[in-house]
Amino acid sequence: MSAAVATDQPLVEARAVTKTFGRNEVLKGINLSVQSGEVLCLLGPSGSGKSTFLRCINHLEKISGGELEVAGDLVGYRRVGDTLHELREKEVAAKRADIGMVFQRFNLFPHMTALENVMEAPVRVRKVKRSEAREEGLRLLTRVGLADRADHHPSQLSGGQQQRVAIARALAMNPRLMLFDEPTSALDPELVGEVLDVMRGLAESGMTMIVVTHEIGFAREAADKVAFMDGGVIVEYGPPEQVLGNPRHERTRAFLSKVL
């Protein structure tokens, strides 16, 4: 579990966030804050809105109502008086560079080696020198246990190894916040542990993380806070020992009885 740093200003703050797709209201007024250094795990059944909320945090999905802030800045918008103006895509991309995201699918460039995948964004987006990006890329691959796979292409790597490269790639941008969208759900069971071990290491290092996961053991061990979502709302929120060990809501208890 990370040593969360208490500050007055949350790193992530959601206020009455809603999201609709047509007539389908997926998020129904999410209020949530994450302090710098905290690990928050989002649990809940499929369709509860977890991944949609995660995607809203880096403006991959535009919120329909409410406000979302990361590091004190509105996500995707600028406030002028009482009016919100949507940022241009270039401005959104610049803000998004401070937020690392790891998806269910690894999305690695198949024609690039593991090291080249990790180097790509710093060189192209942050204009880092290739020599510096290479040195940092090798350091990050070592951190995720893949120093000996730097010159391998994704097709030569297992699913777990590809996901660890994806984590290293996200870390290469030196993000303030890491988002994980069910990062182990596409993996064979025997490969899940190696990815979770890397994520535990990140949590212990003080990285701020929001993790959508069905891995209850990871949430119990690594999270500072757990939020159980269902039907687009947060049903229960608190430390893992309370939400997972002594849930107050029947819906939470019913969900945990099926997944534990």
Side-chain angles (χ1 to χ4, degrees), residues 96-158:
R96 196 178 283 145
D98 290 326
I99 304 173
M101 187 157 186
V102 178
F103 300 87
Q104 296 179 30
R105 298 291 172 179
F106 325 121
N107 299 327
L108 299 178
F109 295 114
H111 62 289
M112 293 183 179
T113 65
L115 178 57
E116 289 168 341
N117 267 280
V118 176
M119 291 171 56
E120 180 72 2
V123 170
R124 285 188 176 271
V125 179
R126 295 212 188 273
K127 308 304 180 185
V128 175
K129 292 180 180 178
R130 290 194 67 84
S131 59
E132 294 177 10
R134 177 181 174 81
E135 182 179 344
E136 178 65 3
L138 288 171
R139 186 188 71 81
L140 289 170
L141 287 174
T142 300
R143 183 176 181 178
V144 300
L146 291 173
D148 60 340
R149 297 291 190 271
D151 295 327
H152 286 57
H153 285 78
S155 62
Q156 299 171 297
L157 302 173
S158 70

Side-chain angles (χ1 to χ4, degrees), residues 207-221:
M207 174 63 74
T208 310
M209 299 162 57
I210 302 178
V211 185
V212 173
T213 185
H214 291 294
E215 299 291 338
I216 304 300
F218 173 81
R220 184 180 286 113
E221 297 167 19

Side-chain angles (χ1 to χ4, degrees), residues 11-14 32-35 37-43 50-51 53-55 57-58 68-70 99-102 176-183 199 207-213 218 223 225 227 229:
L11 184 62
V12 181
E13 186 162 20
L32 199 63
S33 64
V34 181
Q35 297 290 339
E38 274 191 337
V39 177
L40 169 68
C41 283
L42 297 176
L43 307 179
K50 309 182 302 297
S51 293
F53 177 64
L54 203 71
R55 292 171 64 85
I57 293 173
N58 64 358
L68 249 176
E69 289 186 356
V70 175
I99 304 173
M101 187 157 186
V102 178
R176 298 186 63 175
L177 169 67
M178 284 285 285
L179 308 177
F180 293 85
D181 188 6
E182 298 193 32
M199 293 171 63
M207 174 63 74
T208 310
M209 299 162 57
I210 302 178
V211 185
V212 173
T213 185
F218 173 81
K225 299 287 173 53
M229 292 182 65

Side-chain angles (χ1 to χ4, degrees), residues 26-101:
V26 178
L27 300 177
K28 302 175 182 178
I30 301 296
N31 293 290
L32 199 63
S33 64
V34 181
Q35 297 290 339
S36 180
E38 274 191 337
V39 177
L40 169 68
C41 283
L42 297 176
L43 307 179
S46 297
S48 60
K50 309 182 302 297
S51 293
T52 297
F53 177 64
L54 203 71
R55 292 171 64 85
C56 287
I57 293 173
N58 64 358
H59 207 58
L60 289 176
E61 297 287 356
K62 299 176 184 178
I63 64 175
S64 302
E67 293 183 345
L68 249 176
E69 289 186 356
V70 175
D73 292 332
L74 289 170
V75 174
Y77 298 90
R78 179 185 297 108
R79 188 192 305 280
V80 180
D82 294 330
T83 306
L84 295 183
H85 297 269
E86 188 166 2
L87 299 178
R88 294 190 295 271
E89 182 55 38
K90 188 174 183 180
E91 295 174 293
V92 173
K95 298 283 188 183
R96 196 178 283 145
D98 290 326
I99 304 173
M101 187 157 186

